[in-house]
Amino acid sequence: MSNIHSAIETETQELQLTEIEQGIKIIPGVNALIAAFDKIVNWSRYSSLWPMTFGLACCGIEMMTTGSSHYDLDRFGIIFRGSPRQADCLIIAGTVTKKMAPIVRRVYDQMPEPRYVIAMGSCACTGNIYDTYSTVLGVDKFLPVDVFIPGCPPRPEAFMHGLIKLQEKIASENFKWSKWR
Amino acid sequence: MNPLSIAQTIQDKFPKEVKEIVEFRKQVSVIIQRDRAKEILAFLYFNKDFNFDYLVDLCGVDYMGQKKPRFEVVYNLFSMKHRHFFRVRVEVDEDTQDAPDNLSVDTVTDIWRGADWHERECFDLFGIRFKGHPDLRRILMPEDWEGYPLRKDYPLKSDLGDMEWQEYKDLIEFSEKAKQYEVR
């Protein structure tokens, strides 16, 4: 407490706030930061993006490769979760058939907010060459997609680029944390 | 055994049923009529010289606009003992008003048990019914799907229009409604 008191005292005298990053200031002498709430919430969200373990076709194999130690998604804080209840990002990796579409939608509906969708690969983006009776032409027909990653399948680099794009998108959100939004 | 001589033996034994012997790149197949197809297949299975104990594949073909009868069921046979292949093609025609049971073949599941799922697939995608099959349901498509997708007169593109699967239509409708609750 005495620390805070002294901090307030110094503030009344002359408070030197150091800006450590844009919009984030540190109060010297105490372990405290001053920042917009958005910044903190968004920071915590994009640095622990937990996708759902959900591969549908060959893109799923590429997704697993990207998650493996060679490319290492853990360094972005991306850890695959086994349950939609614990996930906040759904990666549609592969061709979505009409038979599978209601199940994909159900997985999405089971996820708590905030939730994000990445359409990985040409099939999930547009249906690719499979313009046939059984295939959904683009997962955006029934899901709100945040990031589209083209490629057949996309290289791990491209996939990681997509994930970073999503992180950038999350970092730029405003007021996505209260009831009164 | 030489496949041509197998075909010849079948023709000698069932002269009425065998319509044609086709040879293409040393692969021989016989085109037979539907009614005694199972008998011929059982003959191929039980005959000591042939002993076709393995049904490699069973599939359907649609020859719409190319020949009559329209459909064919193709049996690819192999003998583990004698190591020879053979192909039997059974002709099936479309259902008509006077012959509503045209598009059906006797099942071979009691000869080769593995034909079970092949026949279900054939039924699923072509609508060919297999009489006596223990469990003739759709295997790949959803159970309430309408139409038989591998037929030549089935729409080719993803947009099926009015023929669209009901549950998929419901899903599109639902996601349109759910859009207003999305936090964007």
Side-chain angles (χ1 to χ4, degrees), chain A residues 45 49 88-90 105 108-109 111-119 140 142-148 165-166 169-170 172-178 180-181, chain B residues 175-176 178-184:
Chain A
R45 276 182 190 158
L49 196 64
D88 49 15
C89 172
L90 181 62
R105 177 74 209 192
Y108 176 76
D109 287 338
M111 282 162 49
E113 281 187 13
R115 51 194 178 183
Y116 306 93
V117 179
I118 293 177
D140 54 327
F142 61 93
L143 281 182
V145 181
D146 291 285
V147 177
F148 291 91
K165 281 283 164 211
L166 179 62
K169 188 175 178 179
I170 295 169
S172 64
E173 278 171 355
N174 289 320
F175 293 104
K176 205 178 168 181
W177 39 265
S178 84
W180 308 287
R181 64 190 165 232
Chain B
S175 54
E176 281 299 318
K179 259 182 196 167
Q180 57 179 307
Y181 303 110
E182 290 295 337
V183 190
R184 290 287 130 180

Side-chain angles (χ1 to χ4, degrees), chain A residues 73-93:
Chain A
L73 283 183
D74 291 13
R75 62 196 159 124
F76 304 117
I78 295 169
I79 299 162
F80 286 98
R81 302 301 296 186
S83 160
R85 309 275 182 206
Q86 300 167 353
D88 49 15
C89 172
L90 181 62
I91 300 167
I92 314 288

